[in-house]
Amino acid sequence: MADRLFIFDTTLRDGEQVPGCQLNSIEKIEVAKALESLGVDVIEAGFPVSSPGDFKSVVEISKAVTWPTICALTRAVEKDIDVAAQALQYAKRKRIHTGIGTSDYHIRHKFNSNRDEILERAIACVTYAKRYVEDVEFYAEDAGRTDNEYLARVVEAVIRAGATVVNIPDTTGYCLPEQYGAKIRFLRENVKGIERAILSTHCHNDLGMATANTVQGVLNGARQVEVTINGIGERAGNTSLEEVAMIFKSHHEAGIETNINSQKIYGISRMVSSLMNMPIQPNKAIVGRNAFAHSSGIHQDGVLKHRESYEIIDPKDVGIDDNAILLTARSGRAALKHRLQLLGVELEQDVLDKVYEDFLKLADRKKDINDDDVLMLVGKDRTAMQRIKLEYLQVTSGVGLKPVASICLNIAGERFEAAASGNGPVDAAIKAIKAIIHRTMTIQEFLIQAIDKGSDDMGKVHMQVEYDNNLYYGFAANTDIIAASAEAFIDAINKFVK
Ligand code: KIV
Ligand code: ZN
């Protein structure tokens, strides 16, 4: 019989720490519900002491979700643990995730402390968390670079204090797969009482080895993996859920099974990408646009004769429906609703009607509507409440002409108009916006992407704007890339102009 591997999803905590990927509570609930139907065992819903928004999200997710355990992160600080316990009050199953850095880098430079003191603090935080909940997970931050003998002492002590799960994070993504696997094996072989706790992997992808390290951890005895949808997370990201789930689904000989309903993978992957405005790289394993696209003639011929000649996973197994009805200007509401359901989105009838109206407008301008377009239309509804809106934008540009933009912004119901010229049409549009919003703002990053093939595709613009020493993220999609650029700039401004 296969061994059960628990899936701990941290998209809403470690994943959400990425600048520009912040979600509001409603969006987090949407993701949490999708994670529940995907079959994850644990949802790390946030770090409640870090902000009132995180606290609220943990409360709301606890109320909205039934089956998965809801987990809240803390430092090894009593106040953090008090706040986490309060945020978890409505969770049907709850876990506190507490811990401290154990590598010498952390002990000396972060805490200005020593190994014995850190060991005491580790025991103290678990003991304190046990006052509130039975299920306490301890993390040994930077375990990847922690000396194994000392790590074993810490793990043994926290299990004695009542930790039910012990997380061994490779916080900096430094370990080689062989080293990480050996670390887990060392703990299994040298920690007294190890059978009373589950060992968990938590790998970062700085050297592109997060999934390989996680797999080695599992093959050496870890029975929980901490992962995110699409591998999102700080810097190069975390281990991606879909990769781990499909690796163990494909390799039966490993004798590991998860509770993941793999057919829901594609939908949630698109949902998270769209809500977090985080594009998926086209060649990303399992969920990238090209993951199942065979372009070479030899491969296409092979797949048509016998799919398994070149495909190790049936795309349908991860929820990619090749035969899905194409969405065009002639599609009805039912077809749109069906497509949204495949993408894990359920809408009330009135919202569906509104999205359908926008869909028809877009379909007039663009022949085939793809999944990203559909999710973007759903997202439009979320920005309808913004304080600053673009009413119109007119641009003249061309060879031998000086680009000029005229713009009208609606700010809290009042209309403001301005015109400006620039070295290109986008520059002119941005300068016209700046002529209305008198703040010192600098665009730090500006990315235009066309997702599909044709010249009628939507241009998607991602932008980072610096204002008052902070970075704000803006996103917009439009078949007109100059309009998309102006809208992305306005989206970012809406984050700081209240
Ligand atoms: O990477 C890490 O060490 C973490 C811990 C806080 C669990 O995210
Ligand atoms: Zn992490």
Side-chain angles (χ1 to χ4, degrees), residues 28 34 45 75 162 184 190 201 226 229 250 277 302 429 444 447 450 457:
K28 285 188 187 175
R75 293 166 298 180
I184 299 290
N190 292 283
T201 67
E226 305 195 2
I229 300 294
S250 308
N277 298 321
Q444 294 293 2
L447 172 73
D457 191 20

Side-chain angles (χ1 to χ4, degrees), residues 10 13-14 169 171 202 204 234 238:
T10 183
R13 200 279 298 169
D14 225 352
T171 306
H202 179 114
H204 280 266
E234 273 196 290
N238 289 56

